């Protein structure tokens, strides 16, 4: 449970508002969405409208562009509450990517402001079939044709709650010579759905967060004229790094919220389920599991709080972020698995929410950079001072909160 004693009155009110919204407007629909495999459009728009009325919509964006301008600490606590329900549902409460703050001129009226008001939805399109963790292995490319760019390639596992209006697409626009040889120059483009040559369709279904859609994108000679590049040419990864670092902290805090909900279920079951004449929580085999779950959650919350404090002080490192994402995603999986064990056979029946939360927790170790990638980044930080450790190739996805510097991403794309 979030420690309200350490929060100011305004932040406490925000957390209570989000918690109430999750419990009354989102959680009641979880089973239906899980069974159907999608969020009905009418329900999604209802969530969207109600979240706007409460000021939760675009809460991650600064007030100067129409957002709520919440602090990093407040945003982390908001994401923690969202973690207690399905991503398929809370994603309808838009938190537009901060990459859109790089929009200039008429781009702001066409892309940034409509996303903040909810008139438009965007996708962040980086991952490809053969370029997941190895983002520099992307095959999508764009070549010059006069003042225009011609974009070709494909993306997959691009997630979002509904059909978007446009995508932020990363593509190679050439090569730069570096000390280690030629390196791809990556540029971000704004590509509207409906543009000739741009095909978008629903992708593979996942057993985690059923109802949260993935999209497949294909680009065949897509022409992007002047003003449809986002940021400077060749600076796509640097631009992404301003937003994506805090995304992994967001995953960590969301995992803590989910773990708190699962622990509460396990504790209630252990206190009421009786075997051999006593509650099963009185047996050490069960009691020690609960203790480990509580300890893991406490450690995860402390890691997140430390990362947020470091981010606000401007000293957050890639190792800090990776440790949060690695530990919290692994922790919620241990908590979910122990909860199934405590429930026994009832933990795996479809009528119980335990199996759904168990399935949903599993994805946390994969998206926004796998546990292996996070471990690679953290270990590299331990030995790089020796000057003998090769740079890891990483993909950083997802996010919330104001921009944060990513030294690793900047180094990897130099």
């Amino acid at each position: 449970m979030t420690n309200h004693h350490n929060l100011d009155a305004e932040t406490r009110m925000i957390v209570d508002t989000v918690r109430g919204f999750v419990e009354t407007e989102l959680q009641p629909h979880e089973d239906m969405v899980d069974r159907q495999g999608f969020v009905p459009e009418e329900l999604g728009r209802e969530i969207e409208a109600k979240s706007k009325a409460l000021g939760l919509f675009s809460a991650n964006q600064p007030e100067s562009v129409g957002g709520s301008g919440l602090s990093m600490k407040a945003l982390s606590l908001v994401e923690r509450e969202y973690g207690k329900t399905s991503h398929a549902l809370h994603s309808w409460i838009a938190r537009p990517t901060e990459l859109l703050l790089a929009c200039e001129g008429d781009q702001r009226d066409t892309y940034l402001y409509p996303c903040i008001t909810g008139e438009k939805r965007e996708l962040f399109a980086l991952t490809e079939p053969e370029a997941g963790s190895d983002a520099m292995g992307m095959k999508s490319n764009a070549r010059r044709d006069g003042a225009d760019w011609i974009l070709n390639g494909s993306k997959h596992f691009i997630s979002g709650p509904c059909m978007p209006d446009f995508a932020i697409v990363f593509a190679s626009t050439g090569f730069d010579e570096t000390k280690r040889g030629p390196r791809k120059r990556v540029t971000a483009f704004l590509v509207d759905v409906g543009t000739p040559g741009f095909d978008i369709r629903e992708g593979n279904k996942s057993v985690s967060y059923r109802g949260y859609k993935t999209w497949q994108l294909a680009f065949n000679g897509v022409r992007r004229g002047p003003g449809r590049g986002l940021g400077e040419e060749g600076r796509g990864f640097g631009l992404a790094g301003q937003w994506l670092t805090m995304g992994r902290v967001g995953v960590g805090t969301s995992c803590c919220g989910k773990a708190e909900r699962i622990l509460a279920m396990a504790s209630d079951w252990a206190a009421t389920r009786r075997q051999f004449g006593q509650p099963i929580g009185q047996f050490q085999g069960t009691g020690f599991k609960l203790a480990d779950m509580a300890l893991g959650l406490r450690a995860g919350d402390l890691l997140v709080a430390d990362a947020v404090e470091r981010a606000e002080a401007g000293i957050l490192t890639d190792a800090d972020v990776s440790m949060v994402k690695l530990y919290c995603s692994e922790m919620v999986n241990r908590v979910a698995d122990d909860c199934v064990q405590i429930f026994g056979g009832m933990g795996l029946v479809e009528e119980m929410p335990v199996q759904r939360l168990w399935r949903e927790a599993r994805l946390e170790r994969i998206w926004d950079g796998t546990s292996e990638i996070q471990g690679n980044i953290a270990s590299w930080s331990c030995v790089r001072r020796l000057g003998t450790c090769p740079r890891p190739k990483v993909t950083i996805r997802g996010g919330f909160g104001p921009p944060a510097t990513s030294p690793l991403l900047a180094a990897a794309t130099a």
Side-chain angles (χ1 to χ4, degrees):
M1 176 72 74
T2 304
N3 186 356
H4 276 42
H5 298 297
N6 295 330
L7 304 180
D8 58 71
E10 182 178 356
T11 303
R12 188 182 305 118
M13 181 183 67
I14 293 170
V15 172
D16 289 340
T17 298
V18 176
R19 179 174 300 150
F21 189 83
V22 167
E23 291 176 353
T24 60
E25 302 295 341
L26 304 184
Q27 289 180 352
H29 303 293
E30 293 172 341
D31 290 338
M32 177 271 293
V33 169
D34 190 61
R35 288 193 306 272
Q36 293 187 173
F38 64 92
V39 177
E41 180 83 9
E42 182 180 354
L43 173 60
R45 297 305 175 188
E46 182 181 326
I47 292 170
E48 187 178 80
K50 289 181 177 179
S51 69
K52 288 180 182 179
L54 289 174
L56 302 178
F57 204 83
S58 298
N60 61 317
Q61 294 288 341
E63 291 182 283
S64 59
V65 295
S68 298
L70 294 186
S71 67
M72 288 185 181
K73 181 177 181 179
L75 282 167
S76 73
L77 296 174
V78 166
E79 292 294 331
R80 192 182 188 281
E81 295 304 315
Y82 289 151
K84 297 175 183 178
T85 190
S86 170
H87 204 90
L89 288 162
H90 74 68
S91 62
W92 283 88
I93 309 169
R95 283 86 83 194
T97 168
E98 283 82 4
L99 268 72
L100 291 173
L101 293 174
C103 286
E104 297 181 345
D106 66 350
Q107 289 182 342
R108 294 208 151 199
D109 292 327
T110 305
Y111 299 104
L112 172 62
Y113 298 133
C115 283
I116 291 175
T117 61
E119 297 171 66
K120 287 186 177 182
R121 290 272 184 164
E122 87 282 6
L123 290 182
F124 177 85
L126 176 63
T127 303
E128 298 184 3
E130 297 182 34
S133 296
D134 182 11
M136 291 303 289
M138 71 171 59
K139 295 183 178 180
S140 294
N141 63 88
R143 60 176 175 80
R144 281 284 192 186
D145 184 25
D148 296 347
W149 290 95
I150 306 299
L151 176 64
N152 291 282
S154 64
K155 304 289 181 179
H156 80 158
F157 288 155
I158 310 304
S159 55
C162 58
M163 175 62 76
D165 296 278
F166 67 95
I168 303 170
V169 181
F170 293 82
S172 171
T173 52
F175 291 87
D176 290 318
E177 291 298 328
T178 72
K179 293 182 294 183
R180 295 178 175 81
R183 191 168 184 81
K184 286 181 181 176
R185 189 163 62 245
V186 176
T187 303
F189 293 92
L190 298 162
V191 185
D192 301 275
V193 171
T195 300
F198 177 21
D199 178 71
I200 179 170
R201 62 189 63 188
E202 286 195 41
N204 303 103
K205 297 289 187 181
S206 173
V207 299
S208 287
Y209 296 119
R210 287 176 175 162
Y212 189 55
K213 299 179 183 295
T214 66
W215 303 91
Q216 292 179 325
L217 285 60
F219 310 94
N220 183 15
V222 175
R223 182 174 294 273
R224 303 314 290 153
R228 290 301 177 261
L230 183 62
E232 297 179 20
E233 192 268 325
R235 303 300 300 170
F237 274 154
L239 175 65
Q242 296 176 3
W243 167 62
L244 303 173
T245 300
M246 283 304 290
R248 290 180 169 174
V249 179
V251 172
T253 190
S254 177
C255 287
C256 289
K258 187 175 299 297
E260 180 184 304
R261 184 181 178 188
I262 295 171
L263 174 57
M265 289 180 177
S267 299
D268 288 344
W269 185 265
T272 56
R273 171 66 170 169
R274 300 180 67 86
Q275 292 286 280
F276 303 101
Q278 61 182 347
I280 62 173
Q282 292 186 9
F283 294 104
Q284 287 187 343
T286 299
F288 286 173
K289 282 184 173 63
L290 294 173
D292 286 342
M293 294 160 78
L295 177 60
L297 174 56
R298 178 69 63 86
D301 276 330
L302 290 172
L303 271 172
V304 169
D306 177 68
V308 170
E309 184 176 326
R310 288 169 179 265
E312 291 179 332
I315 59 173
L316 185 71
T317 69
D318 292 286
D320 297 331
V321 172
S322 289
M323 289 177 187
V324 170
K325 206 280 181 176
L326 173 60
Y327 180 84
C328 292
S329 63
E330 294 285 340
M331 176 272 294
V332 75
N333 273 264
R334 291 193 299 270
V335 168
D337 198 68
D338 282 343
C339 183
V340 170
Q341 196 68 21
I342 290 171
F343 272 76
M346 293 301 294
L348 293 175
V349 301
E350 291 187 351
E351 291 76 14
M352 299 288 283
V354 178
Q355 54 81 26
R356 174 172 49 77
L357 293 169
W358 180 52
R359 282 187 282 109
E360 291 177 350
R362 188 60 183 84
L363 184 58
E364 307 294 351
R365 293 167 56 193
I366 297 175
W367 65 0
D368 288 86
T370 64
S371 291
E372 290 75 18
I373 285 294
Q374 307 310 324
N376 194 32
I377 297 172
S379 64
W380 183 61
S381 72
C382 296
V383 297
R384 63 183 171 184
R385 67 181 182 277
L386 302 177
T388 59
C389 182
R391 295 176 303 186
K393 298 178 180 180
V394 300
T395 297
I396 306 178
R397 295 185 58 247
F400 72 94
T405 302
S406 177
L408 176 62
L409 194 59
T413 55

